């Protein structure tokens, strides 16, 4: 871990700690030597970071100290760059637009060395780009958040058309398409609906308030074998 990243992590540890943290405990968390922690604490104190304490008793941070916004390590910035690039390969236009806004906001707020990590074009997301769905995937994401039912016109892999009322609980993005995980009221079971087979999608008047977490738990604990594309 670079020293700059380590100093940032020490500040985070002390900000979140509810009791004094020993150098040994921080060294174990950061996988460095205790001597390195002592040197880092001294460096932070020299930079007027309000850390109090000493060897053998542990360290605390006085209340009121906060970090500047958007303080990322180089590795965290690279993770953001790659995540935003992967979003560009989805068929969710609203999320792609949001990713571009995030990129601009971060570029305008972070220090120059971190901005270079975003602009050096050294990290790429490769592979096929998902084909646009015949409807706006933002409708599904909002329905999941609002716990609101959706009405789908759907055509299965055999070409059979049906009308479904579903309770969407998750959205899985693949390189080719996206799958809507939902409780299907027609089948009375969890089903996956491929977005490229949805012929039309609209919000219903009905909600399933308070039931989203239960259905997600149902999906992830024993019903996953039944959550197959239909």
């Amino acid at each position: 871990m670079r020293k700059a990243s380590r100093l940032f992590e020490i500040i985070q540890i002390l900000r979140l700690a509810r009791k004094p943290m020993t150098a040994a405990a921080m060294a174990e968390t950061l996988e460095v030597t205790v001597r390195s922690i002592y040197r880092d604490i001294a460096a932070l104190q020299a930079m007027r970071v309000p850390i109090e304490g000493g060897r053998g008793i542990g360290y605390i941070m006085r209340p009121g100290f906060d970090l500047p916004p958007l303080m990322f390590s180089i590795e965290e910035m690279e993770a953001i760059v790659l995540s935003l690039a992967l979003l560009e390969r989805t068929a969710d236009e609203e999320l792609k637009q949001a990713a571009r806004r995030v990129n601009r906001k971060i570029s305008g707020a972070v220090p120059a060395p971190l901005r270079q990590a975003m602009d050096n074009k050294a990290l790429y997301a490769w592979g096929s780009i998902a084909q646009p769905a015949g409807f706006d995937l933002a409708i599904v994401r909002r329905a999941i958040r609002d716990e609101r039912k959706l009405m789908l016109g759907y055509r299965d892999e055999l070409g059979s058309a049906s009308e479904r009322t579903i309770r969407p609980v998750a959205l899985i993005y693949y390189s080719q398409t996206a799958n809507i995980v939902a409780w299907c009221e027609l089948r009375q079971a969890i089903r996956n609906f491929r977005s490229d087979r949805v012929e039309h999608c609209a919000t219903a008047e009905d909600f399933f308030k308070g039931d989203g977490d239960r259905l997600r738990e149902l999906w992830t604990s024993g019903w996953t074998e039944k959550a197959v594309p239909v």
Side-chain angles (χ1 to χ4, degrees):
M1 182 182 290
R2 294 182 179 88
K3 182 176 180 179
S5 298
R6 196 168 64 242
L7 295 178
F8 174 78
E9 292 298 334
I10 290 172
I11 291 173
Q12 291 288 69
I13 290 171
L14 293 176
R15 286 179 66 233
L16 298 174
R18 297 185 177 181
K19 62 180 181 179
M21 293 290 297
T22 65
M26 288 187 280
E28 182 178 0
T29 299
L30 300 178
E31 299 181 343
V32 297
T33 65
V34 173
R35 181 176 294 181
S36 294
I37 297 296
Y38 287 142
R39 286 198 298 262
D40 291 341
I41 292 290
L44 288 168
Q45 289 172 328
M47 290 186 280
R48 300 182 182 275
V49 178
I51 298 174
E52 298 178 348
R55 302 186 182 195
I57 60 174
Y59 297 92
I60 61 171
M61 183 175 292
R62 290 202 307 269
F65 179 79
D66 206 355
L67 289 167
L70 296 173
M71 286 293 292
F72 298 111
S73 69
I74 294 292
E75 292 78 12
E76 290 167 341
M77 186 60 69
E78 288 176 338
I80 291 170
V81 169
L82 188 55
S83 299
L84 295 177
L86 288 168
L87 271 176
E88 285 288 341
R89 312 199 74 76
T90 71
D92 194 322
E93 191 59 36
E94 187 179 71
L95 279 187
K96 289 195 288 187
Q97 293 292 337
R100 293 164 195 157
R101 292 195 300 272
V102 168
N103 201 323
R104 289 194 296 270
K105 286 180 180 179
I106 294 176
S107 293
V110 298
L114 294 182
R115 193 177 307 122
Q116 291 173 3
M118 296 191 73
D119 297 338
N120 64 11
K121 307 300 182 185
L123 297 177
Y124 292 87
W126 200 252
S128 59
I129 299 176
Q131 294 299 310
F135 65 102
D136 190 351
L137 287 170
I139 295 173
V140 181
R141 288 188 286 103
R142 293 191 186 102
I144 293 170
R145 292 197 300 266
D146 297 340
E147 296 185 337
R148 186 169 188 168
K149 295 181 183 182
L150 292 174
M151 298 179 293
L152 301 184
Y154 194 73
R155 192 171 296 275
D156 65 20
E157 60 184 341
L158 300 177
S160 300
S162 61
E163 296 291 326
R164 309 287 184 104
T165 299
I166 65 170
R167 304 175 191 182
V169 295
L171 191 56
I172 306 172
Y173 290 87
Y174 296 94
S175 58
Q176 300 88 4
T177 186
N179 275 9
I180 305 167
V181 181
W183 177 265
C184 176
E185 296 191 351
L186 177 66
R187 302 300 184 195
Q188 287 295 293
I190 296 288
R191 289 288 186 267
N192 282 3
F193 298 90
R194 287 181 52 138
S195 61
D196 55 355
R197 295 179 185 163
V198 175
E199 297 187 325
H200 61 83
C201 175
T203 53
E205 295 296 325
D206 297 329
F207 292 81
F208 55 102
K209 292 289 188 182
D211 205 28
D213 287 341
R214 182 189 68 83
L215 290 174
R216 271 184 290 276
E217 185 175 350
L218 188 66
W219 170 49
T220 58
S221 60
W223 281 74
T224 51
E225 71 276 8
K226 294 188 177 181
V228 295
V230 295

